Amino acid sequence: MCGIVGAIAERNITAILLEGLKRLEYRGYDSAGVAIVSNDGQLQRRRRTGKVSELEASLAAEPLVGKLGIAHTRWATHGAPNERNAHPHFSGEVGVVHNGIIENHEPLRELLSAQGYVFASETDTEVIAHLLNHTLKTVPDIADALKATVKQLHGAYGLAAIHLAQPDRLVAARSGSPLVIGLGLGENFLASDQLALRQVTDRFMYLEEGDIADIRRDSVHIWDTSGQPVQREAVQYHEGAEAADKGEYRHFMLKEIHEQPKVVQRTLEGRLGQDSVLVQAFGPQAAELFAKVRNVQIVACGTSYHAGMVARYWLEGLAGIPCQVEVASEFRYRRVVVQPDTLFVSISQSGETADTLAALRNAKELGFLGSLAICNVGISSLVRESDLTLLTQAGPEIGVASTKAFTTQLVALMLLTLSIGQVKGTLEDGVEAELVAELRRLPTRLGEALAMDSTVEEVAKLFAEKHHTLFLGRGAQFPVAMEGALKLKEISYIHAEAYPAGELKHGPLALVDSDMPVVTVAPNNELLEKLKSNLQEVRARGGELVVFADEQAQFTDGPGTRVVAMPHIHDALAPILYTLPLQLLSYYVAVLKGTDVDQPRNLAKSVTVE
C-alpha cells in the first residue's frame, strides 16, 4: 500500500521526507519519489524504481534543497512499476502524490486530453494533477481549487499537492485513505501513517473522511465534507502505543485482539468505492487476470489455511468460482493436476513461511494462470515473487498465536471474492453493493463483539479443569471452529478438535460426556435449525454446551447450556465476527491455566524452515 510524506518548514526538508519514506517501507512499494519547491524557486522532482535507498543515493549525488515538499512510495495499481509512473506527478507548476484509486480516471483523462493536457504516465494520479492545474486557472487559491477538484473524483484517495506559485502552502484531501498531520514549532508535516513522522513530532491531527487541509508553517486550516471550517483534536503520541509495547494490556495477544476493529478498518481503506470493491487495489493487471479466472487454488499453513477454507465458501457461494484449498506442506509434495485458468492464491502473515513459499515456487512450474499473495509484510519473499498482491494492514503481530492477522486475511479474501465476481459478472444483482455497505459497518460490529470481553472471561472458567474440548460449526463457520480449536490448543495446551456439526453422529459423539465441553458458533442462517438438532444430541449425552449465537437465533441458557448472544451481522461476514469471542475464550482459559500466552511452548511466530 502506498505511502505519503509531506513537509513545510524553515529548514531543508529533504532528509525529513526521505526518513519518512524509510519508515513506511514495511507497507510494500515498487518505486519512490520526492518533489520540492527549491530555494531557487523551481519545482523539482526525483523518482526511482526499487527501494528508497535508490532514491537516497540519487539525492546524495545531486541534492534537492527546499522548505516545501512531498514524497511517496508507490505500489502499482495503474501502470507498470517504472519511473514515469512513480509519484510525484506534475502538471505545470503543480505536484501531486496520491494513495488510493480514482474510479472515473478514464473519462477524466479523455476530458483533459481534449483540453490539451498531455499525459506522461499510465496512472490515475496524473489525472488529479492535470485536473487541479486546470482548476487553478479559474480558482487561483490552491485550497479552494483542491475543494473543487475532489468534487469531480470518484473512488478512494488520500492526496497531497503543492503549487510553485504558492510556496508557503501544502494542501491535502482524504476520502477512504488515511492522512495525518504532524504538528511542529514553526513547521508542520503530513503523512499517510504517523509512524513516518515520529522523528520530527509527537503531536498529530487526524483528518476525517471528506476533510480538506491547508497546511502552512504556523497554521493548519481544515474544512469538512460540507465545506465548513472545522477543528480536529491534536493528540500527543506516547511511546506506550508502539506495537512493541503491551500498553494497558497484560499480554500482546489481548492487545492484538482488541486492535482488530482498527486494523480491519485500515485493511478496507482505499479499497472500497461507493458501492463496489476497487479491483485495481490488487495491482494494475488484476482486472485483466481476474477476467480469465475459472478456478482458484488456495495454499497456506495453520491459521492462514483456515482463512483460505472460509474463502472457499465465499468464492463458490458468492462468485460461483470453483475453489480448492490445501495445506502448503501437502501441496508441495504431491503431484498436482492444475485445472485450466486457475489462479494460485497464497496466504501468509509473514510472507516467509517456508512451505508456502516452496508451494508458490512449485506452482510457477505447473501452469497456473497467475499468482496472488495475501500477506501482512510488503517486503517479504512471498510478495516479491507473486504476480499480484493484496497487503493486509494488521501491523506488527507480536503474539505467536495469530489473531488480527487472521481477521484481516479474511477481509482481504472477501475483497478478492467480490473483485473476481465483479469482473466476471457472476455476482447476484445487488450483492456487491450490499456487502460493501456491510464491510463499512464491520469495524463497529467487531467493537460490539469485543465489548463482551467480561462475559467471555466468565465463560472461560468452565474450561479451567478440562483437558479436552470439541468445537462445532456448519458451513463457513466450520473453519472458524477449526481456528477456535487451534487457538485453544496453542496457548492453553488443552486438546481441542473441530468438526462440522453434521459429522457428530459419524464418530465424535462417542467422545462427548460431562468432562468434554462443546463450543459452537451459531449465526442466524439457513443451517440454524439443523445445528440446533445437532446440539440436542450433545445435551442428550450429558455434554456441556457453550453456544456463541446470533442475538436473533432464539438460543437460551439452560441446564448444561451457556449462551453468549452475538451482534447480528450479514451471514457472509459472520465468520469474521465469530472469530473474536473464540480468540477471547482461548486467551482467558490460558490465563486461568497460567501458560505463557504470548510465547507458547514449542512454537515460533514465523515458520521459516520445514
Side-chain angles (χ1 to χ4, degrees):
M1 190 176 178
C2 309
I4 287 174
V5 186
I8 182 167
E10 283 293 347
R11 54 173 164 158
N12 180 30
I13 44 80
T14 307
I16 295 171
L17 297 177
L18 271 175
E19 178 61 26
L21 294 185
K22 290 178 184 177
R23 290 169 177 248
L24 295 177
E25 285 190 286
Y26 76 94
R27 298 165 71 96
Y29 65 101
D30 47 52
S31 60
V34 60
I36 68 166
V37 175
S38 66
N39 288 345
D40 59 359
Q42 299 181 60
L43 183 61
Q44 297 183 312
R45 173 177 62 183
R46 193 71 50 77
R47 301 179 292 179
R48 291 292 183 270
T49 56
K51 300 301 180 185
V52 172
S53 58
E54 298 291 327
L55 178 64
E56 185 177 32
S58 173
L59 289 169
E62 298 181 61
L64 297 181
V65 179
K67 300 174 182 178
L68 170 67
I70 50 178
H72 192 266
T73 51
R74 176 180 186 252
W75 186 271
T77 58
H78 294 77
N82 54 36
E83 192 168 307
R84 70 187 181 92
N85 286 330
H87 297 213
H89 287 286
F90 283 1
S91 179
E93 296 184 342
V94 171
V96 171
V97 291
H98 162 234
N99 290 351
I101 294 168
I102 305 303
E103 293 179 274
N104 62 332
H105 72 97
E106 290 183 355
L108 288 174
R109 180 183 289 262
E110 292 177 6
L111 179 65
L112 290 162
S113 295
Q115 292 170 342
Y117 286 91
V118 177
F119 285 81
S121 78
E122 304 163 84
T123 68
D124 54 341
T125 303
E126 193 179 3
V127 167
I128 303 173
H130 288 320
L131 193 59
L132 180 57
N133 179 298
H134 184 68
T135 305
L136 280 163
K137 294 177 181 178
T138 54
V139 184
D141 181 89
I142 190 170
D144 290 339
L146 185 60
K147 293 175 193 176
T149 296
V150 298
K151 288 179 181 179
Q152 302 175 67
L153 304 178
H154 302 159
Y157 52 82
L159 65 90
I162 55 178
H163 186 208
L164 181 62
Q166 300 175 64
D168 58 344
R169 302 169 74 181
L170 167 64
V171 293
R174 174 194 171 159
S175 179
S177 194
L179 287 175
V180 58
I181 297 171
L183 303 172
L185 296 175
E187 56 187 19
N188 288 307
F189 311 94
L190 180 76
S192 51
D193 187 324
Q194 64 186 18
L195 181 65
L197 304 177
R198 289 292 290 117
Q199 81 275 18
V200 287
T201 185
D202 62 356
R203 294 178 62 239
F204 298 94
M205 189 179 290
Y206 295 88
L207 295 184
E208 297 186 8
E209 192 71 1
D211 280 357
I212 303 285
D214 183 358
I215 305 164
R216 309 189 189 202
R217 278 184 283 273
D218 55 1
S219 66
V220 174
H221 300 280
I222 300 174
W223 297 266
D224 65 16
T225 189
S226 65
Q228 296 301 308
V230 290
Q231 294 289 329
R232 300 296 180 210
E233 181 184 4
V235 178
Q236 188 150 17
Y237 188 76
H238 298 288
E239 291 297 333
E242 294 281 4
D245 192 298
K246 291 190 287 286
E248 65 187 71
Y249 297 97
R250 183 175 176 182
H251 296 96
F252 281 110
M253 182 179 179
L254 185 60
K255 174 177 179 278
E256 289 157 7
I257 288 172
H258 281 271
E259 286 176 342
Q260 287 174 110
K262 177 177 66 177
V263 297
V264 163
Q265 179 67 45
R266 284 209 309 247
T267 300
L268 291 169
E269 283 177 333
R271 290 162 174 173
L272 299 179
Q274 185 172 350
D275 55 9
S276 63
V277 174
L278 302 177
V279 178
Q280 298 95 328
F282 289 87
Q285 291 85 38
E288 181 182 356
L289 185 63
F290 290 170
K292 301 174 184 176
V293 172
R294 293 165 58 191
N295 303 277
V296 172
Q297 172 71 64
I298 296 176
V299 170
C301 300
T303 287
S304 298
Y305 171 67
H306 297 155
M309 291 184 68
V310 174
R312 179 182 182 181
Y313 286 91
W314 290 340
L315 283 161
E316 295 192 350
L318 294 171
I321 300 296
C323 178
Q324 298 294 319
V325 186
E326 191 160 0
V327 173
S329 57
E330 292 296 312
F331 179 89
R332 64 181 291 200
Y333 287 119
R334 72 174 182 86
R335 182 180 178 184
V336 177
V337 177
V338 181
Q339 296 296 318
D341 298 321
T342 298
L343 176 66
F344 183 89
V345 178
S346 57
I347 311 171
S348 172
Q349 186 272 331
S350 68
E352 303 295 346
T353 306
D355 285 321
T356 306
L357 264 174
L360 170 62
R361 290 162 182 166
N362 186 38
K364 291 184 177 182
E365 309 297 323
L366 295 175
F368 281 92
L369 177 66
S371 59
L372 164 68
I374 291 176
C375 184
N376 193 43
V377 182
I379 58 174
S380 63
S381 301
L382 197 73
V383 168
R384 293 197 306 269
E385 297 180 28
S386 297
D387 299 323
L388 302 176
T389 300
L390 190 72
L391 293 178
T392 59
Q393 298 296 328
E397 189 177 63
I398 308 301
V400 168
S402 181
T403 52
K404 60 179 181 174
F406 177 66
T407 46
T408 53
Q409 286 172 354
L410 289 177
V411 169
L413 288 162
M414 175 55 78
L415 295 178
L416 173 64
T417 299
L418 294 176
S419 294
I420 293 177
Q422 175 196 136
V423 171
K424 296 188 69 66
T426 54
L427 298 170
E428 291 184 8
D429 290 345
V431 164
E432 185 172 18
E434 180 184 12
L435 282 172
V436 165
E438 292 291 334
L439 283 167
R440 294 189 196 280
R441 289 189 281 267
L442 181 58
T444 300
R445 295 289 179 267
L446 297 182
E448 293 169 357
L450 291 172
M452 302 186 304
D453 186 293
S454 58
T455 301
V456 178
E457 184 177 10
E458 187 67 25
V459 171
K461 296 176 182 178
L462 299 174
F463 296 77
E465 303 301 325
K466 305 299 184 184
H467 301 286
H468 307 277
T469 302
L470 192 64
F471 285 74
L472 302 177
R474 297 200 72 137
Q477 295 294 351
F478 167 48
V480 172
M482 295 179 70
E483 176 62 13
L486 176 62
K487 286 292 156 286
L488 191 67
K489 70 180 76 170
E490 277 181 316
I491 63 171
S492 73
Y493 314 147
I494 292 176
H495 171 246
E497 293 186 67
Y499 282 90
E503 279 289 291
L504 263 177
K505 59 176 65 70
H506 295 281
L509 200 55
L511 298 172
V512 174
D513 58 23
S514 59
D515 291 324
M516 188 172 192
V518 177
V519 179
T520 305
V521 285
N524 192 16
N525 60 23
E526 71 277 4
L527 296 174
L528 179 62
E529 293 306 316
K530 293 184 182 295
L531 180 61
K532 287 182 177 180
S533 298
N534 301 142
L535 298 187
Q536 288 301 318
E537 297 169 348
V538 173
R539 285 299 304 128
R541 274 76 179 175
E544 283 189 276
L545 283 170
V546 175
V547 184
F548 293 94
D550 186 288
E551 60 192 4
Q552 301 178 5
Q554 299 181 340
F555 268 104
T556 56
D557 283 345
T561 302
R562 179 65 188 270
V563 177
V564 179
M566 295 287 293
H568 180 68
I569 193 170
H570 191 289
D571 184 50
L573 300 183
I576 307 173
L577 182 73
Y578 279 73
T579 293
L580 271 62
L582 298 187
Q583 293 171 347
L584 287 170
L585 178 64
S586 64
Y587 170 79
Y588 283 117
V589 172
V591 169
L592 286 170
K593 295 182 75 69
T595 61
D596 190 338
V597 171
D598 288 331
Q599 295 182 319
R601 67 191 185 198
N602 305 332
L603 299 178
K605 183 62 183 171
S606 181
V607 184
T608 57
V609 295
E610 287 192 62

